[in-house]
């Protein structure tokens, strides 16, 4: 998977990659040429006392050194630019792909692991790309070039290389083979700690309300300790590699000096050549060590690339149509469900089955039922947060699976069960429903949603800051801002998923009264637990165990449906119900 990601996302930067390779080649050749120049100065210039030769060769060394520095700086610049662009593109495409997921795929992965894969995993792959440009290109050239140049200096000492290089390869292979599963476990531990931390930050009010700080601290400590243990094992394995590599390098240097000194003493080798040979040995072993650094990083990057590839390899269950069908204007707001069924993958029983519903513009249809009856799931089928596994959902007379998603979503105003606000201002959150909404339109929507008074009381009014998730406003205020976000859109279909539960009865009544003229030409579908919210609906649908058990007006259901009557009498008295 790593090679596939590199091939795909480095393709636009082939020019920069080529430039890096050329610069690294020139830099490496210059580096390998310097010890030979140094050897000739010692053996020919110093030994013979030829000052002109020393100055001439010294000037060449300075020029080569300058070329080496310039190429090194340019290679790092081009390499870093290409690697950072690679990371940027990979993150953007990963985010875009996740945006296509339905609620089913997001739930399967979970938000914490998707965040980790988009940030930490991409960073691991990006770092390998950067190291490849700055190290890995140079290492093989340095290794091969170092061997060739060492042989030019003296063939007899090369037996040392025949021992040193294979030993280094065995050491690196042994350590790397132990690190791959440890890196895989470490990424999972990071997922876990992100999940725990996210839950604790999001649920801080619940934690404090139930005085669970110690228990949550213990849970975080367990996740943190698990990450520490895995990281500690990885660190110990990595720590083992460098001493072993240095041991081989130092033993090789001693061997070269030992055998080289004998060859110099016997006249088979000159002092300058021995010094150059030692330099080449160091270059060879340094190239192996640079490769070792890559071998340390590559296993973790391979694990990260596999995790990223798993996301890219997951296709959304909500597939956009290849040839979208437009909605006819007369039927724009009509909503129909025909024998709809929905079951989760692998589930033994369907959550919904045999659902038939016909909601028309100008009418309010309410859905009520016990917890777990499938009310929210039914509502989520309309904007295709899920796709029905059986039957058909139609908006404007067209199957939602045949509609352009943009056209479908533009026709719907959804207020979810858990209203979510984004970090920004009151205005930016309301404009989420209509990007070009004027201040007058926003104030009107706030007034309909019974939110104008508290927004005017906030410092800054429409520019008052809203924290992520709307944590700096109350639950009822969040619901009203979410309703205003839907109202400002002026959709053809309103979907209210228990959107009035946090409101007091007076505000609830005022809001429903204000909504009547706004939704007169639209279809309104309300999921609610509170009878007072839905008793005036044109049709009330009673759900039980995923199927419709009764439908009618409030008065009709009180007389004919025991389930509805039980729900009503659990909230209000019989006199109030009548």
């Amino acid at each position: 998977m790593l090679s596939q990601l590199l091939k795909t996302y480095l393709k636009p930067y082939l020019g920069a990659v080529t430039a890096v390779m050329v610069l690294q080649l020139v830099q490496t050749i210059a580096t390998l040429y310097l010890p030979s120049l140094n050897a000739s100065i010692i053996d020919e210039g110093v030994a013979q006392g030829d000052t002109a030769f020393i100055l001439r060769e010294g000037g060449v060394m300075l020029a080569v050194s300058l070329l080496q520095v310039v190429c090194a700086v340019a290679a790092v610049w081009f390499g870093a630019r290409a690697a950072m662009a690679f990371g940027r593109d990979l993150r953007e495409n990963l985010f875009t792909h996740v945006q296509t997921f339905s609620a089913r795929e997001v739930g399967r992965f979970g938000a914490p692991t998707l965040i980790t894969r988009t940030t930490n995993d991409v960073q691991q792959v990006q770092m390998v790309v950067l190291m490849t440009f700055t190290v890995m290109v140079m290492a093989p050239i340095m290794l091969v070039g170092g061997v060739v140049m060492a042989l030019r200096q003296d063939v007899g000492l090369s037996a040392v290389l025949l021992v040193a290089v294979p030993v280094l390869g065995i050491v690196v292979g042994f350590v790397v083979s132990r690190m791959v599963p440890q890196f895989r476990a470490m990424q999972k531990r990071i997922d876990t700690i992100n999940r725990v931390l996210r839950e604790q930050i999001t649920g801080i009010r619940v934690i404090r309300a139930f005085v669970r700080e110690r228990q949550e601290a213990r849970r975080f400590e367990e996740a943190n300790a698990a990450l520490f243990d895995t990281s500690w094992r990885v660190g110990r394995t990595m720590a083992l590699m460098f001493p072993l590599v240095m041991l081989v390098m130092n033993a090789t240097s001693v061997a070269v000096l030992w055998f080289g000194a004998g060859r110099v003493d016997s006249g088979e080798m000159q002092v300058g050549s021995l010094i150059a040979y030692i330099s080449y040995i160091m270059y060879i072993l340094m190239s192996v060590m640079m490769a070792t650094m890559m071998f340390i990083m590559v296993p973790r990057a391979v694990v990260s690339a596999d995790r990223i590839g798993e996301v890219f390899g997951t296709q959304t269950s909500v597939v956009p149509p290849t040839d979208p069908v437009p909605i006819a204007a007369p039927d724009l707001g009509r909503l129909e469900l025909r024998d709809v069924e929905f079951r989760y993958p692998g589930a033994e029983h369907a959550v919904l089955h045999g659902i038939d519903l016909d909601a028309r513009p100008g009418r309010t249809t309410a859905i009520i039922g016990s917890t777990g009856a499938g009310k929210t799931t039914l509502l989520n089928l309309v904007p295709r947060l899920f796709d029905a596994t059986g039957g058909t959902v139609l908006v404007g007379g067209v199957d939602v699976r045949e509609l352009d998603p943009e056209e479908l979503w533009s026709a719907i105003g959804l207020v979810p069960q858990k209203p979510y606000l984004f970090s920004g201002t009151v205005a930016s959150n309301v404009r989420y429903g209509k990007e070009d909404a004027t201040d007058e339109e926003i104030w009107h929507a706030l007034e309909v949603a019974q939110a104008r008074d508290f927004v005017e009381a906030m410092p800054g009014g429409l520019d008052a800051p809203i924290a992520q998730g709307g944590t700096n406003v109350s639950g009822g205020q969040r619901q009203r801002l979410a309703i205003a976000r839907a109202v400002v859109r002026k959709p053809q279909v309103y979907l209210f998923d228990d959107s009035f539960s946090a409101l007091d009865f007076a505000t609830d009544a005022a809001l429903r009264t204000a909504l009547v003229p706004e939704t007169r030409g639209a279809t309104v579908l309300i999921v609610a637990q509170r009878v007072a919210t839905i008793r005036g609906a044109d049709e009330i649908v009673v759900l039980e165990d995923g199927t419709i058990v009764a439908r009618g007006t409030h008065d009709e259901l009180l007389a004919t449906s025991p389930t509805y009557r039980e729900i009503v009498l659990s909230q209000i008295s019989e006199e109030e119900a009548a």
Side-chain angles (χ1 to χ4, degrees):
M1 191 65 212
L2 179 60
S3 59
Q4 187 177 341
L5 289 177
L6 295 177
K7 187 187 298 183
T8 303
Y9 291 97
L10 279 178
K11 193 173 182 180
Y13 309 104
L14 287 178
V17 173
T18 303
V20 170
M21 295 182 70
V22 171
L23 289 166
Q24 290 278 24
L25 178 62
V26 174
Q27 177 195 353
T28 307
I29 292 172
T31 302
L32 292 170
Y33 187 42
L34 287 173
S36 295
L37 287 171
N38 189 43
S40 65
I41 290 173
I42 294 172
D43 294 337
E44 298 177 35
V46 175
Q48 299 176 14
D50 190 344
T51 305
F53 180 84
I54 294 172
L55 291 174
R56 185 171 62 253
E57 293 297 299
V60 174
M61 283 188 72
L62 286 173
V64 172
S65 299
L66 181 62
L67 177 64
Q68 178 192 21
V69 170
V70 171
C71 289
V73 171
V76 170
W77 190 87
F78 281 109
R81 185 175 179 83
M84 296 307 109
F86 165 86
R88 177 200 63 201
D89 294 348
L90 182 55
R91 274 190 301 272
E92 183 178 345
N93 281 273
L94 189 60
F95 172 79
T96 303
H97 186 72
V98 170
Q99 289 292 94
T100 67
F101 284 175
S102 71
R104 180 186 297 179
E105 287 77 44
V106 173
R108 174 191 145 194
F109 282 102
T113 186
L114 288 174
I115 293 170
T116 304
R117 294 178 198 221
T118 309
T119 53
N120 186 273
D121 285 316
V122 170
Q123 186 178 12
Q124 299 305 323
V125 178
Q126 179 179 286
M127 286 303 298
V128 164
V129 173
L130 180 59
M131 291 295 290
T132 298
F133 288 150
T134 56
V135 173
M136 201 60 182
V137 173
M138 180 189 293
I141 303 172
M142 184 77 77
L143 177 62
V144 175
V147 171
V148 172
M149 297 300 287
L151 290 174
R152 285 188 60 194
Q153 295 299 323
D154 190 89
V155 177
L157 278 177
S158 300
V160 177
L161 289 174
L162 296 177
V163 177
V165 173
V167 169
L168 268 179
I170 292 170
V171 169
V172 171
F174 171 74
V175 175
V176 168
S177 66
R178 296 174 62 87
M179 290 176 67
V180 172
Q182 293 176 1
F183 278 132
R184 193 178 299 277
M186 190 160 77
Q187 292 304 109
K188 290 181 179 178
R189 297 286 185 270
I190 293 173
D191 282 348
T192 302
I193 204 169
N194 278 344
R195 185 187 71 247
V196 172
L197 190 60
R198 186 171 182 269
E199 286 177 353
Q200 291 176 346
I201 291 173
T202 306
I204 187 66
R205 293 180 179 178
V206 177
I207 293 169
R208 288 178 179 169
F210 287 90
V211 196
R212 300 285 293 181
E213 288 92 342
R214 289 184 181 179
Q215 290 84 345
E216 290 301 319
R218 194 179 306 119
R219 193 159 72 100
F220 181 81
E221 184 180 346
E222 290 172 359
N224 200 23
L227 178 59
F228 167 77
D229 291 339
T230 307
S231 302
W232 173 239
R233 286 195 295 272
V234 170
R236 281 185 301 180
T237 307
M238 291 174 64
L240 180 66
M241 178 179 287
F242 286 103
L244 288 174
V245 170
M246 291 304 297
L247 177 63
V248 175
M249 291 179 67
N250 291 332
T252 304
S253 299
V254 171
V256 169
L257 285 172
W258 179 268
F259 294 111
R263 294 180 67 79
V264 171
D265 187 54
S266 64
E268 296 176 276
M269 191 177 190
Q270 293 182 308
V271 174
S273 295
L274 177 60
I275 294 172
Y277 196 93
I278 292 172
S279 296
Y280 289 128
I281 286 290
M282 287 300 101
Y283 288 159
I284 293 167
L285 296 180
M286 282 300 296
S287 67
V288 175
M289 193 158 180
M290 286 190 291
T292 301
M293 293 172 61
M294 287 297 298
F295 284 132
I296 290 172
M297 299 183 67
V298 166
R300 189 172 184 183
V302 168
V303 171
S304 294
D306 289 342
R307 285 159 53 86
I308 293 169
E310 188 181 357
V311 178
F312 279 127
T314 302
Q315 299 302 318
T316 178
S317 56
V318 178
V319 183
T322 53
D323 190 15
V325 176
I327 301 176
D331 297 322
L332 202 56
R334 187 174 180 181
L335 171 63
E336 296 175 84
L337 282 77
R338 298 176 184 171
D339 195 25
V340 166
E341 177 193 271
F342 178 81
R343 71 174 66 225
Y344 290 99
E348 187 175 345
H349 301 290
V351 179
L352 297 171
H353 51 91
I355 302 296
D356 290 298
L357 189 69
D358 189 357
R360 298 171 180 267
R363 290 172 55 85
T364 298
T365 303
I367 302 172
I368 195 169
S370 59
T371 302
K375 304 182 296 297
T376 296
T377 302
L378 187 154
L379 209 68
N380 288 339
L381 295 175
V382 179
R384 293 193 76 192
L385 299 182
F386 302 106
D387 263 345
T389 54
T392 311
V393 179
L394 301 98
V395 171
V398 181
D399 190 331
V400 292
R401 286 169 287 205
E402 297 178 4
L403 287 170
D404 184 331
E406 293 293 332
E407 185 176 9
L408 173 63
W409 297 333
S410 65
I412 293 172
L414 172 65
V415 184
Q417 191 173 29
K418 295 180 180 179
Y420 190 87
L421 301 181
F422 298 88
S423 56
T425 63
V426 170
S428 68
N429 272 279
V430 177
R431 284 197 177 99
Y432 219 79
K434 183 182 179 185
E435 192 175 355
D436 58 349
T438 64
D439 286 356
E440 288 74 17
E441 289 176 311
I442 293 173
W443 280 119
H444 175 70
L446 291 171
E447 189 169 353
V448 171
Q450 307 304 299
R452 180 165 189 143
D453 290 345
F454 80 80
V455 170
E456 286 179 333
M458 295 173 72
L462 292 181
D463 295 323
I466 297 293
Q468 183 181 2
T471 54
N472 63 330
V473 293
S474 70
Q477 290 171 338
R478 275 199 300 275
Q479 281 194 338
R480 283 178 277 173
L481 289 175
I483 292 169
R485 183 168 59 194
V487 169
V488 79
R489 191 168 196 158
K490 299 187 182 303
Q492 284 75 46
V493 178
Y494 285 88
L495 304 177
F496 295 103
D497 186 4
D498 205 11
S499 307
F500 310 95
S501 58
L503 307 181
D504 60 80
F505 284 97
T507 304
D508 183 355
L511 198 157
R512 284 186 285 109
T513 301
L515 276 173
V516 171
E518 295 295 319
T519 61
R520 185 169 285 121
T523 300
V524 179
L525 191 62
I526 299 177
V527 166
Q529 297 284 1
R530 191 186 288 175
V531 173
T533 302
I534 64 169
R535 66 188 300 170
D538 298 293
E539 183 181 43
I540 299 172
V541 174
V542 183
L543 272 184
E544 188 173 10
D545 295 328
T547 189
I548 296 175
V549 295
R551 66 177 79 214
T553 63
H554 172 74
D555 293 334
E556 290 170 350
L557 290 173
L558 272 179
T560 61
S561 172
T563 302
Y564 182 75
R565 184 176 180 81
E566 182 181 346
I567 294 172
V568 172
L569 296 182
S570 69
Q571 299 181 27
I572 58 179
S573 66
E574 192 158 352
E575 292 76 13
E576 291 174 313

